[in-house]
Amino acid sequence: MDATLLATIVLFGTFFLLLILGVPISVGVGVSSILAGLTLVPLEMITFTAAQKLFGGINSFTLLAIIFFMLSGSIMNNGGIAIRLINLAKLFVGRLPGSLAHTNVVGNMLFGSISGSAVASAAAIGSVMNPLQKKEKYDPAFSAAVNIASSPAGLLIPPTTAFIVYSLVSGGTSISALFMAGYLPGILMGLSIMIVAYFIARKEKYPIAEKVNFKQGLAVVLDALPSLSLIVVVIGGIVAGIFTATEAAAVAVVYSMILAAIYREIKLNHIPKILKETIVMTGVVLFLVGTSSIMSWVMAYAGIPQYMTDFLMSISDNPIIILLLMNVILLIIGTFMDITPAILIFTPIFLPIVTNIGIDPVHFGVILVFNLCIGITTPPVGSALFVGSSVANVPIERIIKPLFLLYIPLVITLFLVTYFEWISLFIPRLLGLL
């Protein structure tokens, strides 16, 4: 048997088997990579190389940005900003039919972009919105579906760790360009859900929020302004060249602490819990990055990316067909794999293929993250799906029907973003980042 084919079968066969058996993804990645490596090189070499790659994979200044953004997000999640952002969202979309559903979507877009976590967004926004929607006779399954489907929008709207991970594994794609490229797709993701929610709300005759006067509206804006300013400080600083993404993440931590002091939502005895949350999350991510570095080396040594390129190009050399195949594969992968490991594993496989057909790495980064954002809202293991269901106290089987209606606009928007690259690249080009 061809060495490359054997290594591919051992690598992915072992990995998916361990995944089915419930082994943690990072362990599965490491074990399958070492076993695949044994088909290529002696035991001594793969042992030494694996240890070297495990350390070298996390020995990166850029990874500090992930740690700091996670800490900032944890502070924000406990800092009482959800209700302020919900009030602001309601101010913008409160006069639309089904105003609370639209408020939920916009709230997720705002909170997700600040916290950098779809799960945190689904939990924080959902816990506030579900009682309000229940009070106004919304179908609980519909409310939960809207919350789940819109929770990943903040993973596209910067700052987001997903693009930092992609930048790292793609060989240094500009983080600034990736951040700017995520804005329009993230906004379109939210708007597409709102369009479907609008028609459902009109059909079900869900109420419109009461009109607020100028004084009330100004108070809401001023109350939410300090939280929103984090985005301006972080993204503005990166684009203006004042600081790097890593430095911006550290600034975000300081800003979050100041904001928590202003809102007085976090007490001193909350800090150990926040730090513990961050340590656990970053420990998981960093170990995954390290083991994925072993997998990347094995794939490169075996020539698996080139093998996959030749295979897909043998099917078609038409970029439209190749991107369609990639989207289908990534949508399937997203149903059972979380966003970070999927980026780490599949970027080295697909990036050489897309660059070979002339696709900009920044544009592909947006396509990749968009696909995986949909994945975390889908059964059987979507993290946002389970959190949204738990917060709403609605069984998943009841949520699936309204959720499938929301998958339609999400997939349509995904294909618009895929085939009209200006949606992703317009802002980066406008700012001279490409």
Side-chain angles (χ1 to χ4, degrees):
M1 184 182 292
D2 179 73
T4 300
L5 181 59
L6 177 61
T8 304
I9 293 172
V10 172
L11 180 65
F12 292 106
T14 306
F15 173 68
F16 288 121
L17 176 62
L18 293 173
L19 209 61
I20 292 168
L21 294 175
V23 175
I25 290 178
S26 53
V27 176
V29 168
V31 170
S32 59
S33 300
I34 291 172
L35 291 177
L38 286 172
T39 67
L40 302 167
V41 297
L43 176 62
E44 296 79 6
M45 183 175 176
I46 189 60
T47 304
F48 174 79
T49 305
Q52 188 181 52
K53 293 297 176 182
L54 186 65
F55 175 77
I58 61 174
N59 186 23
S60 169
F61 183 72
T62 304
L63 283 175
L64 285 173
I66 296 177
I67 298 171
F68 284 132
F69 274 129
M70 283 186 170
L71 178 56
S72 171
S74 187
I75 295 170
M76 285 287 189
N77 293 345
N78 291 275
I81 68 168
I83 188 63
R84 291 169 173 85
L85 295 178
I86 285 171
N87 289 336
L88 180 65
K90 195 173 182 181
L91 183 66
F92 291 145
V93 296
R95 300 302 294 165
L96 294 173
S99 58
L100 291 181
H102 301 301
T103 300
N104 197 325
V105 175
V106 177
N108 271 327
M109 292 166 70
L110 293 172
F111 189 83
S113 65
I114 291 173
S115 69
S117 168
V119 171
S121 187
I125 301 298
S127 62
V128 176
M129 292 304 305
N130 283 315
L132 298 176
Q133 289 170 308
K134 188 175 181 181
K135 187 177 179 182
E136 296 201 4
K137 310 298 182 185
Y138 281 69
D139 176 11
F142 167 72
S143 301
V146 169
N147 182 46
I148 292 163
S150 61
S151 62
L155 295 180
L156 285 165
I157 301 172
T160 168
T161 57
F163 284 139
I164 297 172
V165 173
Y166 172 78
S167 171
L168 181 74
V169 75
S170 65
T173 305
S174 169
I175 295 177
S176 301
L178 286 166
F179 277 5
M180 292 300 101
Y183 269 111
L184 288 181
I187 292 169
L188 284 176
M189 175 186 274
L191 288 176
S192 68
I193 296 168
M194 290 174 67
I195 290 170
V196 175
Y198 172 85
F199 287 107
I200 294 175
R202 288 197 61 176
K203 179 185 175 184
E204 301 294 333
K205 295 183 172 56
Y206 290 138
I208 298 172
E210 294 181 6
K211 194 172 183 178
V212 298
N213 59 41
F214 177 78
K215 186 177 179 181
Q216 292 170 322
L218 183 62
V220 169
V221 171
L222 291 176
D223 195 31
L225 201 57
S227 300
L228 293 176
S229 297
L230 172 67
I231 301 173
V232 177
V233 171
V234 171
I235 303 303
I238 293 173
V239 173
I242 298 172
F243 35 66
T244 65
T246 304
E247 292 163 346
V251 169
V253 172
V254 175
Y255 188 95
S256 302
M257 292 174 66
I258 294 171
L259 202 60
I262 294 172
Y263 287 156
R264 297 182 180 178
E265 297 281 349
I266 294 180
K267 310 297 182 188
L268 282 175
N269 60 351
H270 294 162
I271 293 177
K273 177 193 170 190
I274 291 171
L275 292 175
K276 182 181 177 182
E277 285 176 0
T278 306
I279 290 167
V280 170
M281 287 188 297
T282 54
V284 170
V285 171
L286 291 178
F287 185 53
L288 185 56
V289 169
T291 54
S292 296
S293 298
I294 305 172
M295 179 178 276
S296 296
W297 179 84
V298 170
M299 287 194 295
Y301 192 90
I304 293 174
Q306 185 60 47
Y307 182 84
M308 294 296 294
T309 299
D310 294 341
F311 174 72
L312 283 177
M313 295 297 281
S314 69
I315 297 174
S316 174
D317 59 359
N318 187 328
I320 294 174
I321 301 299
I322 290 176
L323 287 173
L324 175 63
L325 289 171
M326 285 186 180
N327 276 328
V328 171
I329 293 169
L330 289 170
L331 284 172
I332 294 171
I333 292 297
T335 62
F336 61 85
M337 189 178 294
D338 203 21
I339 190 165
T340 300
I343 291 172
L344 290 166
I345 293 169
F346 289 95
T347 298
I349 295 174
F350 287 150
L351 188 59
I353 300 172
V354 296
T355 53
N356 192 46
I357 59 174
I359 303 297
D360 191 289
V362 172
H363 179 47
F364 176 66
V366 174
I367 295 172
L368 177 67
V369 173
F370 202 127
N371 270 287
L372 299 175
C373 281
I374 296 175
I376 62 175
T377 69
T378 60
V381 294
S383 52
L385 173 64
F386 283 99
V387 170
S389 170
S390 175
V391 167
N393 197 25
V394 179
I396 289 175
E397 53 269 25
R398 281 191 59 199
I399 299 172
I400 292 300
K401 184 178 178 180
L403 196 54
F404 265 111
L405 290 176
L406 298 175
Y407 288 148
I408 296 170
L410 287 175
V411 172
I412 291 172
T413 307
L414 168 64
F415 281 94
L416 288 174
V417 170
T418 299
Y419 293 114
F420 295 93
E421 72 167 16
W422 66 265
I423 296 175
S424 301
L425 302 184
F426 173 72
I427 296 179
R429 282 173 176 161
L430 185 67
L431 297 174
L433 298 172
L434 292 177

